[in-house]
Amino acid sequence: RMDLGKGEKTYRIQDFCERVHPKEGCEVLAVYDSDFYQGEAALTKHPYGKGICYHMAARFETEMLFDFYESAAQEAGVKPVLPIAIPEGVSVQARESEDTVYYFIMNFNHEPKTIQLPDGRALTDMDGKRLFHADLDAFDVMIAKERIQ
């Protein structure tokens, strides 16, 4: 059982569970709710230096991982590279030079995807042609660029 900002929820565990004994200053975010491990820590959080250390003491189902990483990213103030809806299986990464941001838009799906690019932004392809959306074939990559003001 755990609350990752979406209300208390129960997730399935598969393959293995560890027994951990949290030390002072360590926050228990989730506990096992059945069997031999019932009531023991399954996910912990501990401040370390300027960051935070998490320990997953089990192999959680994929839904929990999505919820956990979304919660951790929000807590850390991580913002999306572009303020757009990104479909599952598509990744947008950015790299900057002194005067340009390069966006690497990658489709890891077996089917094509179209992504609407943000309004009011002067994104272009590598030849300077203005882009309003990214049409990606299956397993395709597009590079868009934007001048830094």
Side-chain angles (χ1 to χ4, degrees), residues 19-104:
R19 294 184 75 195
V20 295
H21 305 285
K23 301 293 183 198
E24 186 177 329
C26 189
E27 180 182 354
V28 176
L29 300 178
V31 295
Y32 300 111
D33 66 357
S34 63
D35 297 328
F36 172 77
Y37 304 97
Q38 187 171 1
E40 293 191 24
L43 174 66
T44 60
K45 173 182 173 180
H46 190 273
Y48 186 80
K50 294 180 182 179
I52 296 172
C53 177
Y54 293 93
H55 179 76
M56 290 184 190
R59 183 169 179 211
F60 291 96
E61 66 180 303
T62 303
E63 181 183 359
M64 179 276 184
L65 297 176
F66 280 117
D67 290 349
F68 169 74
Y69 289 120
E70 180 181 22
S71 174
Q74 283 178 348
E75 183 179 336
V78 175
K79 303 278 188 238
V81 173
L82 286 173
I84 57 174
I86 300 171
E88 188 172 330
V90 174
S91 174
V92 180
Q93 306 293 318
R95 300 293 182 267
E96 292 184 23
S97 69
E98 289 180 13
D99 63 350
T100 306
V101 179
Y102 296 91
Y103 299 99
F104 296 82

